[in-house]
């Protein structure tokens, strides 16, 4: 596509940018982070023999759920910074 007043390029660029950002900030990074936190807390809790069974079973889930509000802004800011310093350097948006 050629950039111009009637070009769909700015729309495709915005869609691609949004898809990349949402994929990383909303799915990939939080999923990986929470998965590893649940795995680590499971290892830790299962290594304590005196804990009751329900704590060992549901404790890691509680850890994962409790992390969600704490990781939103750091992940969003990190993904934005990463994109600004990588892929966003290689395309232009409308008005630039």
């Amino acid at each position: 596509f050629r950039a111009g007043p009637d070009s769909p390029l700015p729309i495709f660029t915005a869609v691609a940018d949004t898809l990349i950002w949402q994929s990383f900030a909303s799915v990939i990074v939080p999923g990986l982070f929470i998965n590893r936190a649940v795995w680590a807390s499971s290892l830790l809790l299962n290594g304590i023999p005196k804990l009751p069974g329900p704590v060992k079973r549901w404790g890691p889930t509680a850890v994962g759920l409790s992390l969600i509000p704490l990781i939103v802004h750091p992940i969003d800011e990190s993904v934005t910074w990463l994109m600004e310093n990588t892929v966003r350097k290689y395309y232009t948006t409308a008005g630039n």
Side-chain angles (χ1 to χ4, degrees):
F1 295 106
R2 292 184 185 195
D6 295 330
S7 173
L9 189 58
I11 295 169
F12 290 132
T13 302
V15 168
D17 185 74
T18 302
L19 180 65
I20 293 167
W21 191 90
Q22 287 292 334
S23 294
F24 280 96
S26 298
V27 179
I28 297 169
V29 176
L32 180 63
F33 187 86
I34 291 171
N35 176 275
R36 295 292 84 196
V38 168
W39 172 80
S41 64
S42 179
L43 282 180
L44 179 69
L45 293 177
N46 284 321
I48 303 172
K50 293 187 177 188
L51 282 179
V55 172
K56 290 180 181 182
R57 178 172 169 84
W58 295 105
T61 302
V63 168
L65 290 173
S66 67
L67 284 175
I68 294 171
L70 302 175
I71 65 173
V72 172
H73 294 294
I75 288 175
D76 288 355
E77 291 174 12
S78 298
V79 170
T80 299
W81 180 89
L82 183 66
M83 287 188 63
E84 291 290 338
N85 290 287
T86 57
V87 296
R88 287 184 179 159
K89 288 183 175 185
Y90 297 105
Y91 56 78
T92 57
T93 57
N96 288 343

